[in-house]
Amino acid sequence: MSSPDLILETHSLRRRFVTRKPLLGPPVEVRAVDGIDLRIRRGETFAIVGESGCGKSTLARMLVRLIEPSEGTVLFENRNITSLRGEDMRAMRRDLQFIFQDPFASLNPRMTVGALIEEPLRAHGLGGPDERRTRVAELLERVGLLPQHADRYPHEFSGGQRQRIGIARALACAPKLVIADEPVSALDVSIQAQVVNLLQDLKDEFALTLIIIAHDLAVIRHMADRVGVMYLGQLVEVADTDTLFTRPRHPYTEALISAIPVPRVGGPPPGPGLQGEPPNPIAPPAGCRFHPRCPYATAICRSTPPSLVPQASGASVACHRASELVLQGLRDTGTGRSPAAEQRFALYRAMRAQREGSNPSVSQHPDPEI
Amino acid sequence: MLRGARMTDRAPLLQISDLSIRFAGVPGNLVDGISLTLNAGETLCIVGESGCGKSLSALALMGLLPMPPAKRMSGQAIFEGQDLFDLPLETLKDIRGNRMAMIFQEPMTSLNPAIKVGEQIAEAVRRHKGATREEARDRALEMLRRVRIPAPEKRLDEYPHQMSGGMRQRAMIAMAMANDPALLIADEPTTALDVTVQAQVLDLMRRLQRETNAALILITHDLGVVAEMADTVMVMYAGRIVEAGPVRQVFEDPQHPYTIGLMSSMPDLGPRGGRLVTIPGVVPPADAMPEGCRFAARCPFAGPDCAIAPPLRDLGGRHRVACWRAPLECGAPDLIAQGVAT
Ligand SMILES: Nc1ncnc2c1ncn2[C@@H]1O[C@H](COP(=O)(O)OP(=O)(O)O)[C@@H](O)[C@H]1O
Ligand SMILES: Nc1ncnc2c1ncn2[C@@H]1O[C@H](COP(=O)(O)OP(=O)(O)O)[C@@H](O)[C@H]1O
Ligand code: SF4
Ligand code: SF4
Ligand SMILES: [Mg+2]
Ligand SMILES: [Mg+2]
């Protein structure tokens, strides 16, 4: 098997935070990310999923050095970015861009939208003033806004529009890899769909590699090629999206999938699912960190931590019982929607296409509000 | 002969008619002509994007809207035979937290950070049921047990901040259900929770509802939650009901273009498809609501007739739709003729 073209790798990546310094004794630390080995393939969309507090944002930020690791390395195109300095570091920043969940918090409120999008171009010395202005106008149009929006301020825009601004800014320098931390989590369903489509279009257009963090498993199922499942600072399963959803191999993945509310009427009511909440990362359980909540735990799980091992299926799983357990994937995939609903969707699509010309892409559709 | 008796048996628990709410300084109604019926033991889900008036409607029902600036322009809400909008404040306070209760996305909206959880629940019981301190504390313990809080004896004496988010959510539910209300209103109770904890909380609400036969109004923006929980569903857009009815009918025979757009905007859980079909644009701002159909600017079916607001019509079987094109196959005959919709 030829080895895939890797754009980004991490080796034993760790990050600890000191949460409290008692007068006596050692400081209290939380191991937010605790030994992650990622291998991201060029051109793929890789999703990271897990309950809140499991270390997704800390991991994502270390990948672009918004946070420094405590231990381990991040290799971008085979270069260790954790030791880059000066000019090399600036060049790396151009290739690696970050999209935040709350674009408003990440955008300077006193800068116009145009200046915000132009800033990375200027920082990297790309183009003269006129070229940069043209580029800003192009980017605004590309993300579904209007060139004249360049003169406005972030607070004049809705949540979905701000996310478009954040995306335009991230794309300004034509990066190779974009990391998006919960980019659609705060948006309403209809706006979320617009941004999901936009991200997918831009990924193809700019030949990006995309790492997306989300807790909405339906969004992940729709967007990702591969998925990494995190639990308490560690990866517990990495697999192709289809494989992961239909044949999960880790009990935690099974639990996450069974908890998705499925938008179909009449299926068997879901059970209570996984009990308890994630334990405190300050004092993670011994052995397998999932064992206090795992319905399949045995003696070895309480004493020995499992490591992430490649399986015959191509997935990697950190579970002592991975090869023997038969786990449940998505309920209810086969049934589909009712014929009447399908007909209604077809009608809706056709009407939209008819009104807007051939391409029913909303990313071309400036918001009428402004 | 027994008609009278039977009719009272079947009188709905709650009947809202023509509820409209306005805010000082905002020209249009933010809630515009809401009507609904709810029976004992039934779950109604209200779904719609943020700002469409879900919380305002619920708060109005509980008498919790600040008036002014809010003003009720019209409407009745008959609950257990009384019009909630026409009661002295004292009577309403007797009903609130007793016959009807509300829970929120953020548990600290209901919980007092300075008082032990057990005491807060006991106090709610004493206020309405005239129980002794001891009885009230026993009831608080029983409620913590029923919402499956581990080590409930210990938790009685904890403050809210000593509990995890999911635990606080349970404590809030325990308090709301302590007096066996006939109606529970839950405003996005699981929106901030992880899917795993959301599943636990939904399961808990289903179980408590089975045990007590309470009616539930569940506000959510997640169609998955609607499908799992609802008997009936009400889709709101920009302050109005656009579609409502038994959940199966609405999901399997959606009629309003907004409902259809919302459903097709959701990533399907089936094998990966192409692009999502979206709803273009955004909700009109509150101070620029169109006179006619409020969805018109985003609607692919819109025509000149949509400049007049469509009434909410019953298509049969309590399936109500506010769209001039409904039923859709009759309303868009040219496309059917082109074979698009077959
Ligand atoms: N700056 C920080 N200081 C202290 N603890 C932190 C800091 N950032 C994150 N943490 C802790 O690290 C853990 C992982 O957090 P985070 O990466 O934000 O998780 P996620 O994004 O999956 O919700 C949590 O327990 C969080 O409280
Ligand atoms: N105090 C207020 N003053 C003016 N407008 C308000 C106030 N509270 C809510 N609104 C407006 O009323 C509309 C409905 O709000 P709400 O019921 O909270 O929506 P939802 O719960 O569906 O997200 C929104 O447009 C909101 O901006
Ligand atoms: S190692 Fe044991 S406890 Fe951990 S997931 Fe596997 S079966 Fe469960
Ligand atoms: S009334 Fe007109 S604008 Fe409103 S939903 Fe129906 S077709 Fe669309
Ligand atoms: Mg995060
Ligand atoms: Mg609300």
Side-chain angles (χ1 to χ4, degrees):
Chain A
M1 205 167 68
S2 69
S3 64
D5 178 10
L6 299 181
I7 185 168
L8 185 99
E9 289 171 75
T10 71
H11 295 288
S12 307
L13 199 59
R14 292 194 157 77
R15 173 67 205 212
R16 292 180 294 270
F17 292 108
V18 174
T19 57
R20 204 153 42 85
K21 280 208 178 92
L23 281 175
L24 300 170
V28 178
E29 285 185 338
V30 43
R31 292 189 267 165
V33 170
D34 202 21
I36 297 260
D37 294 279
L38 271 182
R39 292 156 67 82
I40 308 296
R41 300 169 190 164
R42 191 181 301 279
E44 77 175 337
T45 299
F46 188 90
I48 299 172
V49 62
E51 284 161 300
S52 49
C54 72
K56 301 180 298 294
S57 294
T58 306
L59 171 62
R61 282 161 196 242
M62 281 194 287
L63 300 182
V64 289
R65 265 184 93 183
L66 289 170
I67 295 180
E68 298 292 339
S70 307
E71 282 171 44
T73 50
V74 179
L75 300 184
F76 176 68
E77 297 189 324
N78 294 318
R79 296 210 305 165
N80 184 355
I81 68 163
T82 41
S83 58
L84 293 182
R85 300 279 173 271
E87 195 48 45
D88 290 341
M89 185 61 207
R90 272 163 41 105
M92 184 281 290
R93 285 221 186 281
R94 209 185 128 178
D95 287 339
L96 289 178
Q97 289 291 325
F98 202 85
I99 296 173
F100 295 85
Q101 168 172 4
D102 178 1
F104 197 46
S106 66
L107 299 173
N108 181 344
R110 277 181 295 276
M111 286 169 76
T112 63
V113 165
L116 283 164
I117 298 174
E118 191 188 339
E119 190 185 38
L121 292 168
R122 200 200 302 264
H124 293 289
L126 299 174
D130 289 343
E131 273 172 274
R132 288 201 300 261
R133 245 192 311 280
T134 314
R135 178 86 183 127
V136 167
E138 278 169 14
L139 283 162
L140 279 170
E141 282 198 294
R142 189 55 202 92
V143 298
L145 296 168
L146 299 169
Q148 53 268 38
H149 288 154
D151 299 327
R152 304 216 182 177
Y153 290 88
H155 74 263
E156 297 175 64
F157 294 84
S158 67
Q161 292 167 328
R162 284 180 203 149
Q163 196 53 284
R164 291 170 193 265
I165 296 166
I167 292 170
R169 188 173 142 94
L171 291 178
C173 296
K176 293 177 178 165
L177 175 67
V178 170
I179 297 166
D181 189 359
E182 311 255 11
V184 298
S185 303
L187 305 176
D188 271 310
V189 178
S190 77
I191 307 300
Q192 174 178 310
Q194 296 172 3
V195 175
V196 164
N197 278 349
L198 177 64
L199 280 172
Q200 287 192 300
D201 291 348
L202 294 173
K203 178 182 175 276
D204 293 343
E205 197 175 315
F206 288 72
L208 296 172
T209 305
L210 191 57
I211 298 181
I212 180 162
I213 292 172
H215 61 250
D216 182 337
L217 288 137
V219 169
I220 286 179
R221 168 86 160 142
H222 182 79
M223 290 186 77
D225 300 307
R226 291 195 304 143
V227 184
V229 182
M230 276 181 82
Y231 191 75
L232 279 186
Q234 299 177 329
L235 283 170
V236 297
E237 178 162 4
V238 179
D240 291 344
T241 306
D242 281 339
T243 311
L244 187 100
F245 277 87
T246 53
R247 277 167 287 138
R249 301 303 297 272
H250 194 283
Y252 179 59
T253 313
E254 178 187 54
L256 281 181
I257 291 170
S258 79
I260 307 173
V262 180
R264 302 254 199 286
V265 178
L274 191 61
Q275 295 303 299
E277 292 169 61
N280 189 344
I282 292 172
C288 172
R289 290 180 179 190
F290 187 55
H291 88 252
R293 301 168 82 190
C294 180
Y296 310 104
T298 57
I300 187 180
C301 308
R302 287 181 271 275
S303 59
T304 313
S307 47
L308 196 66
V309 180
Q311 310 286 311
S313 65
S316 293
V317 185
C319 170
H320 294 302
R321 307 188 58 192
S323 53
E324 58 174 300
L325 292 175
V326 178
L327 303 176
Q328 176 70 48
L330 263 183
R331 299 168 270 150
D332 202 22
T333 37
T335 59
R337 290 164 166 135
S338 70
E342 284 299 349
Q343 178 167 320
R344 240 37 72 57
F345 293 154
L347 191 58
Y348 180 89
R349 270 196 301 272
M351 277 312 254
R352 280 211 54 190
Q354 196 181 63
R355 296 264 159 125
E356 285 158 34
S358 57
N359 180 10
S361 155
V362 79
S363 57
Q364 317 296 338
H365 201 107
D367 297 326
E369 174 191 32
I370 342 184
Chain B
M1 294 145 277
L2 287 170
R3 261 171 74 199
R6 232 187 261 145
M7 272 176 63
T8 15
D9 269 359
R10 285 184 188 175
L13 176 71
L14 172 71
Q15 183 141 32
I16 302 181
S17 35
D18 194 30
L19 171 61
S20 296
I21 300 166
R22 199 172 267 242
F23 265 86
V26 183
N29 288 345
L30 293 174
V31 170
D32 195 51
I34 302 289
S35 303
L36 65 89
T37 303
L38 187 65
N39 295 309
E42 207 172 51
T43 297
L44 165 73
C45 284
I46 304 181
V47 64
E49 286 172 87
S50 42
C52 71
K54 305 183 294 297
S55 297
L56 288 187
S57 308
L59 290 171
L61 209 53
M62 292 291 290
L64 291 174
L65 270 187
M67 305 207 214
K71 185 159 189 275
R72 193 166 40 76
M73 306 303 288
S74 65
Q76 267 198 331
I78 309 295
F79 173 70
E80 298 192 316
Q82 291 176 293
D83 183 356
L84 292 173
F85 297 148
D86 192 28
L87 288 178
L89 185 61
E90 283 311 307
T91 318
L92 187 62
K93 279 184 175 166
D94 285 342
I95 294 177
R96 211 154 60 195
N98 186 20
R99 299 306 300 153
M100 59 192 236
M102 184 159 173
I103 62 175
F104 301 88
Q105 178 175 336
E106 170 46 64
M108 295 314 288
T109 314
S110 325
L111 297 175
N112 184 329
I115 303 178
K116 290 173 184 167
V117 165
E119 277 173 31
Q120 298 191 46
I121 302 175
E123 173 52 29
V125 175
R126 272 156 44 84
R127 188 164 45 223
H128 294 291
K129 296 284 196 250
T132 66
R133 262 175 199 291
E134 198 138 305
E135 285 163 349
R137 194 180 157 86
D138 286 349
R139 177 68 176 168
L141 179 61
E142 183 198 336
M143 287 315 297
L144 289 186
R145 207 170 270 142
R146 277 174 66 186
V147 298
R148 305 223 172 137
I149 287 186
E153 293 85 356
K154 193 173 128 251
R155 298 286 177 177
L156 272 182
D157 293 318
E158 284 189 357
Y159 292 95
H161 72 86
Q162 292 173 284
M163 298 181 157
S164 68
M167 219 56 91
R168 278 201 287 267
Q169 204 79 16
R170 285 165 190 265
M172 171 176 63
I173 295 172
M175 187 157 84
M177 298 299 285
N179 291 317
D180 271 331
L183 171 64
L184 178 68
I185 303 176
D187 190 354
E188 310 233 19
T190 61
T191 299
L193 303 176
D194 281 308
V195 277
T196 51
V197 182
Q198 165 169 283
Q200 295 167 9
V201 171
L202 294 179
D203 180 63
L204 174 66
M205 294 205 304
R206 262 193 303 263
R207 202 159 37 75
L208 288 173
Q209 194 185 16
R210 256 200 318 274
E211 289 168 17
T212 64
N213 202 36
L216 174 65
I217 296 181
L218 176 61
I219 295 174
T220 176
H221 59 256
D222 186 332
L223 289 170
V225 171
V226 176
E228 286 191 356
M229 298 290 290
D231 299 306
T232 57
V233 56
M234 188 170 114
V235 184
M236 285 184 74
Y237 185 80
R240 290 186 182 151
I241 301 177
V242 294
E243 181 157 8
V247 67
R248 184 177 284 273
Q249 246 136 303
V250 173
F251 272 73
E252 296 189 349
D253 188 22
Q255 285 289 344
H256 196 281
Y258 176 65
T259 313
I260 296 166
L262 205 57
M263 288 177 170
S264 59
S265 293
M266 294 202 11
D268 192 17
L269 282 163
R272 282 174 69 195
R275 317 176 86 259
L276 298 172
V277 178
T278 60
I279 304 172
V282 293
V283 183
D287 56 4
M289 280 299 165
E291 283 289 312
C293 177
R294 291 183 171 183
F295 188 56
R298 304 173 77 185
C299 180
F301 297 86
D305 49 339
C306 305
I308 295 167
L312 191 63
R313 284 178 302 135
D314 198 325
L315 299 181
R318 289 173 67 205
H319 188 177
R320 298 181 294 160
V321 183
C323 171
W324 294 119
R325 306 284 172 271
L328 257 183
E329 276 78 19
C330 310
D334 46 329
L335 275 166
I336 312 269
Q338 289 167 30
V340 168
T342 45

